[in-house]
Amino acid sequence: MVSAIPTVFAKTYTYEVSNPPPEVFKYEPTEKDKIIQIIRVAAIENEKPTILHFAGHSTNEFTEFDDGPADIGWWKNLVQEFSSVKVVFLNSCSALTIADAMVGVGVMAAVAMRGEIADNVAIAFAKDFYERLAAGRTVGDAG
């Protein structure tokens, strides 16, 4: 599951595709398309997301989505398009290389796992991380 978390943590954005008339080519957006659209909707509403959180599976080279992998280039393009994103949290196994690449293109901080991590540990780490941020700690201190 991937989510864009705006600066104000209380609002969640969803994206639904309307059904076009039958004579129109029907486009089914991918999960990756939906992520981009969620961030665009947030930006239109002047709720510029500053944190992008990914929870799922990954390797050093790509993250897994239901519709296929997103490689390092996809992630770099995403954060370059949405310059309001300053922190990326890749809550998945072995995503350090992807996180490093995003810091190289404008993200101020990235949180990622160096190796494998059990789901329950990843969930507990994310909970603690966001509680510390909400309490006023910096990203470095929260991680």
Side-chain angles (χ1 to χ4, degrees), residues 86-132:
K86 300 300 179 196
V87 177
V88 175
F89 189 148
L90 299 175
N91 201 6
S92 58
C93 296
S94 306
L96 190 58
T97 304
I98 300 167
D100 285 344
M102 285 188 284
V103 169
V105 294
V107 170
M108 293 172 61
V111 178
M113 307 308 152
R114 185 179 314 270
E116 291 187 19
I117 186 168
D119 287 346
N120 63 327
V121 176
I123 291 166
F125 178 73
K127 178 182 174 288
D128 289 346
F129 175 81
Y130 287 115
E131 285 176 352
R132 290 178 184 137

Side-chain angles (χ1 to χ4, degrees), residues 40-88:
R40 284 184 180 145
V41 168
I44 288 169
E45 294 183 8
N46 288 325
E47 303 242 4
K48 310 255 189 250
T50 56
I51 300 175
L52 180 64
H53 182 104
F54 171 82
H57 300 286
S58 63
T59 69
N60 279 321
E61 301 299 322
F62 60 86
T63 54
E64 281 292 336
F65 289 90
D66 288 343
D67 56 345
D71 65 9
I72 292 172
W74 184 86
W75 283 101
K76 286 169 63 174
N77 289 337
L78 180 71
V79 297
Q80 285 176 315
E81 180 176 351
F82 300 105
S83 60
S84 66
V85 174
K86 300 300 179 196
V87 177
V88 175

